[in-house]
Amino acid sequence: MALPRLAASYGVATSYSPSPGRTVPATDTAVVAALAALGVDASTPDAVSAALAAREAELSERLLPPTVVAWTDGDTAFLPELPRGTRVRIEAEEGGTYAWEAGAEADTRLPPGVHALHVRSPDGREARAHLIAAPRRIKTPPRRTHGLLVQLYSLLSQRSWGMGDLADLAELAAWSGRALDVGFLQVNPLHAAVPSPPQGPGGDPSPYRPSSRRFPDPVHLRVAAVPEFAQLRGAARDRAEELCRRADELREGVLLRGELIDRDAVWALKREALGLLAEVPVGPGRCAAYSAFLAEQGPALEDHATWYALAEVYGPDWHTWPAGLRDPASAATARARRELLDRVDFHCRLAWLTDEQLATAQRTAREAGMDIGLVHDLAVGVHPGGADAWAQRRHFAQRISVGAPPDAFNARGQDWGLPPWRPDRLAESGYAPYRALLRGLLRHAGALRIDHVMGLFRLWWVPEGHDPTEGTYVHYDAEAMLAVLALEAHRADALVIGEDLGTVEPGVRETLRAHGVLGTSVLWFERDWEGTGRPLPADAWRADCVATATTHDLPPTAARLTGEHVRLRHELGLLTRPLADEQREAAADVREWLGLLSRLGMLPGGVGCEEDEVRAVHRFLLATPARMVGIWLPDAVGDRRPQNLPGTWDQYPNWRLPIADAAGHPVTLEDLAASPRLHALLAVFRRTAPPDAHPV
């Protein structure tokens, strides 16, 4: 029993429950590998015994854990049990000191922040810890609101360079906020991508496997909106105009010739154009703004830009670089940073320009009347060879990737190829990289969506070279993760939405709700699973959620209503049962929902008109108590193609499709604004006066 005890002391699970009442043991291989990634040798029985003895001695002797959480609502029980007479001192982040003796009465109402906690016991032992003081609850929407869900790359206008950009996002915000009473725009992760290798195959277009989650991707820049663009002269101006003409060809290829969005081609043009802009002298005001941005972002930005500069020379996977450059703190890396100073500065400047245009988009949304504005998306993890995994390598588990265990939907489990953070190193640092990540994402946002929010509690670790079935769960300090989230949301005055679809550990949704984190409810999944199995009545839905008809990983509403999503999966060989069985089940599901909508009077024209049925689905969403209702923007024009089809790689053009109409013809931002179908759908929201959401 020594291995289970050792594993439990580090938060490594030795079993899991794929369904209620069923427990499956984790393999010893998975447990030993997870412990090894945490720096614990459990490779032999003797090693396990020695590690367990050392761990139990460490835990019994320490006065404080590395990080302590205090809620700012007056919680006085945040300290672990200390010997009576222990001196306690807190140095607040913004100044000021709190001191008392353990066992004595003390006023411990702390301001929000990350404070330094010191204790000294009567026998002379001392300890120091990070103290995260945060509001217990994150704010929720002040009133019911609806918004649009959109993958930014898919939103092309007549001015974008082959894919949607931040100026398109600002334009969408200005129009939809004023004309459609939209309260928020939820976008895909705008994280910095892994660049494609020179002369190599194209890069991974998925926004959920980025190089860095900390900084946005400059591919989203509107080049012509950068102030220095207007100052180009001579040969530089001529070259910029040629790049604009080539960008026009890319855009027309997508909009008129049915070509796929080619992120690599777009970035090649933008990178060259931005290189021209980097040669334009910057005025003193702009120079001061850039300097302030550099100072604010500090070493994190320098490391980020250094990785991109090195990737231009050695390729986009730091594991293949010369040995000295694999460590961001090495002397070799310092020399390379000096030698590549111009390229490092170039990538720092790109981060600044992107930050400026993100700020403009959020400001435009709020000026257009949106209560929330932009909702940014936080991916689960990062590419193992990318900038974050290099710059923060100490915080990432080595030779481990994140995935999902076998379940009813995937008997082989899943391996997402993303290295997980080490919970022990996070705690030792006071969750510094996590805090910085959240602060960067919330910088220009009214809310943050967290993909696979269950990862704040535990993640499925898969050892390198093993199948996902040979993984195990590793737990994180959920209280600390939620405290950091609440603190950064408080500082940004922002909401938080958790993507909590699928199998969720008991108690997780309740804990998230208690802290004000909104969930995600998708209509087709909302059934009375513990009772009749029928569609869940609108008044039985939870209020603390974003209610939607679909997501980027699911079929658009029109495809589900027509059964086209089943035909698509059949054509790609993804069905596990006969086509007729799948079609029969899908049709029965749709009939049941449409029958309910008809009985509720939400389908006044009866069944048979697809546009009426889409509107009825959204009328039902409005009838729920959900605080936020999200409208998948492609649904507004009848698009039938999913943006991502899980289980495919090169069989389907994931993340490369523009928004299109029911016939598959691309629809521009200008077309959307003039679309009768879109205006008819959004009229459902303008004509309905839903009640304000009430606090839980």
Side-chain angles (χ1 to χ4, degrees):
M1 295 297 291
L3 181 60
R5 285 169 54 198
L6 178 63
S9 73
Y10 283 96
V12 177
T14 53
S15 65
Y16 68 98
S17 299
S19 58
R22 180 170 172 245
T23 300
V24 177
T27 66
D28 285 353
T29 298
V31 174
V32 170
L35 287 169
L38 295 171
V40 180
D41 181 6
S43 58
T44 67
D46 287 345
V48 170
S49 297
L52 179 60
R55 178 63 167 171
E56 290 180 341
E58 172 202 346
L59 294 177
S60 66
E61 293 171 6
R62 78 180 185 186
L63 292 171
L64 294 172
T67 293
V68 175
V69 170
W71 303 109
T72 55
D73 58 2
D75 174 20
T76 60
F78 61 87
L79 287 175
E81 186 174 347
L82 295 168
R84 191 170 186 83
T86 297
R87 299 292 300 171
V88 180
R89 188 176 82 257
I90 296 172
E91 296 173 1
E93 180 180 356
E94 300 297 332
T97 301
Y98 303 77
W100 69 92
E101 278 192 5
E105 291 292 328
D107 180 6
T108 54
R109 286 185 176 271
L110 300 169
V114 181
H115 313 309
L117 170 63
H118 306 260
V119 299
R120 180 183 176 86
S121 66
D123 61 5
R125 288 182 296 153
E126 295 188 54
R128 178 188 175 104
H130 305 277
L131 175 59
I132 300 170
R136 193 179 295 272
R137 281 186 61 82
I138 298 166
K139 79 168 193 175
T140 51
R143 59 190 179 96
R144 165 72 77 80
T145 186
H146 65 276
L148 301 175
L149 317 179
V150 61
Q151 302 284 290
L152 179 56
Y153 60 84
S154 72
L155 180 71
L156 281 75
S157 72
Q158 292 294 347
R159 294 192 293 168
S160 47
W161 284 24
M163 62 181 284
D165 60 37
L166 290 170
D168 293 323
L169 182 61
E171 190 73 18
L172 177 66
W175 163 63
S176 62
R178 290 185 172 88
L180 305 175
D181 298 327
V182 161
F184 65 92
L185 296 177
Q186 179 179 306
V187 296
N188 56 286
L190 303 182
H191 308 321
V194 176
S196 296
Q199 291 88 44
D204 183 353
S206 172
Y208 290 92
R209 200 163 183 255
S211 171
S212 172
R213 299 186 294 174
R214 175 63 182 82
F215 293 98
D217 197 320
V219 77
H220 300 113
L221 282 168
R222 171 70 63 82
V223 174
V226 176
E228 287 72 37
F229 185 82
Q231 300 171 34
L232 289 171
R233 298 291 184 272
R237 183 71 188 185
D238 293 341
R239 181 57 183 163
E241 289 177 354
E242 172 59 24
L243 293 172
C244 288
R245 285 191 290 272
R246 290 168 58 187
D248 289 344
E249 293 173 3
L250 277 181
R251 182 182 61 250
E252 297 308 313
V254 174
L255 297 179
L256 300 181
R257 297 191 295 275
E259 297 172 2
L260 298 175
I261 292 170
D262 187 341
R263 181 196 175 282
D264 290 338
V266 173
W267 176 234
L269 297 180
K270 289 190 178 184
R271 182 179 56 217
E272 184 177 350
L274 291 164
L276 297 173
L277 300 188
E279 300 300 319
V280 175
V282 178
R286 296 273 292 160
C287 186
Y290 179 44
S291 296
F293 180 78
L294 292 175
E296 182 180 14
Q297 301 303 315
L301 176 59
E302 186 176 36
D303 283 344
H304 175 81
T306 298
W307 183 91
Y308 277 87
L310 289 170
E312 291 175 343
V313 179
Y314 299 105
D317 183 353
W318 61 270
H319 297 93
T320 66
W321 295 354
L325 300 180
R326 297 173 198 168
D327 180 357
S330 72
T333 298
R335 286 194 300 272
R337 185 181 282 122
R338 290 192 297 270
E339 292 166 0
L340 297 170
L341 185 60
D342 286 348
R343 297 308 297 169
V344 173
D345 181 70
F346 176 69
H347 290 287
C348 286
R349 188 175 297 270
L350 296 187
W352 171 55
L353 295 176
T354 311
D355 183 80
E356 284 192 319
Q357 292 194 6
L358 276 169
T360 298
Q362 172 64 356
R363 184 171 59 251
T364 301
R366 297 305 297 269
E367 289 173 352
M370 292 189 183
D371 290 335
I372 298 171
L374 302 185
V375 180
H376 288 303
D377 197 351
L378 173 60
V380 176
V382 295
H383 194 287
D388 283 1
W390 176 76
Q392 302 169 18
R393 58 180 296 183
R394 184 176 182 277
H395 289 90
F396 283 96
Q398 302 301 310
R399 294 180 290 281
I400 296 287
S401 69
V402 173
D407 57 26
F409 301 101
N410 192 327
R412 293 183 55 81
Q414 299 175 57
D415 183 346
W416 302 333
L418 309 170
W421 267 333
R422 285 181 54 164
D424 57 333
R425 295 279 172 81
L426 284 178
E428 289 168 8
S429 71
Y431 293 82
Y434 178 46
R435 286 188 276 124
L437 169 60
L438 293 174
R439 190 169 299 185
L441 286 168
L442 289 168
R443 191 176 160 85
H444 305 302
L448 178 66
R449 174 191 180 270
I450 301 179
D451 195 42
H452 192 70
V453 72
M454 297 81 79
L456 299 181
F457 295 76
R458 65 179 186 176
L459 285 170
W460 183 256
W461 284 24
V462 181
E464 184 179 67
H466 290 266
D467 290 336
T469 54
E470 298 180 78
T472 190
Y473 277 114
V474 174
H475 290 81
Y476 293 74
D477 184 342
E479 183 181 48
M481 298 289 279
L482 287 167
V484 172
L485 182 60
L487 174 61
E488 296 303 332
H490 168 76
R491 285 171 160 164
D493 192 30
L495 315 175
V496 177
I497 301 158
E499 186 273 294
D500 57 351
L501 301 174
T503 303
V504 182
E505 187 180 11
V508 166
R509 286 196 176 104
E510 292 77 8
T511 299
L512 293 171
R513 183 173 65 244
H515 286 283
V517 178
L518 303 179
T520 301
S521 293
V522 178
L523 180 131
W524 308 99
F525 301 155
E526 292 296 314
R527 288 178 172 271
D528 180 13
W529 297 113
E530 297 181 359
T532 64
R534 293 175 180 170
L536 196 65
D539 59 5
W541 283 42
R542 53 182 173 170
D544 51 307
C545 75
V546 179
T548 71
T550 190
T551 73
H552 59 268
D553 283 332
L554 296 172
T557 304
R560 193 176 290 272
L561 290 170
T562 60
E564 195 160 317
H565 65 303
V566 177
R567 290 193 294 274
L568 174 61
R569 293 182 66 82
H570 171 66
E571 291 168 2
L572 295 175
L574 299 176
L575 298 183
T576 57
R577 298 185 300 165
L579 173 62
D581 292 350
E582 295 276 0
Q583 289 178 320
R584 188 162 43 249
E585 182 176 299
D589 184 41
V590 169
R591 277 197 308 274
E592 191 168 21
W593 274 104
L594 293 180
L596 174 61
L597 299 177
S598 295
R599 292 192 298 275
L600 293 173
M602 296 178 178
L603 253 176
V607 175
C609 175
E610 176 194 304
E611 290 189 41
D612 287 347
E613 291 169 359
V614 172
R615 288 193 288 270
V617 163
H618 288 84
R619 289 190 185 101
F620 184 89
L621 295 178
L622 273 175
T624 73
R627 288 189 171 97
M628 298 171 68
V629 177
I631 305 143
W632 179 239
L633 187 54
D635 273 355
V637 287
D639 199 343
R640 285 164 162 71
R641 306 170 306 171
Q643 283 294 318
N644 179 51
L645 192 58
T648 63
W649 175 245
D650 56 0
Q651 308 100 306
Y652 185 80
N654 294 320
W655 317 113
R656 289 175 288 171
L657 294 171
I659 296 174
D661 61 19
H665 300 135
V667 175
T668 65
L669 176 55
E670 293 84 0
D671 295 332
L672 285 167
S675 168
R677 178 165 178 162
L678 180 145
H679 284 279
L681 174 59
L682 270 294
V684 169
F685 293 83
R686 293 199 301 276
R687 292 172 185 168
T688 304
D692 289 350
H694 299 290
V696 174

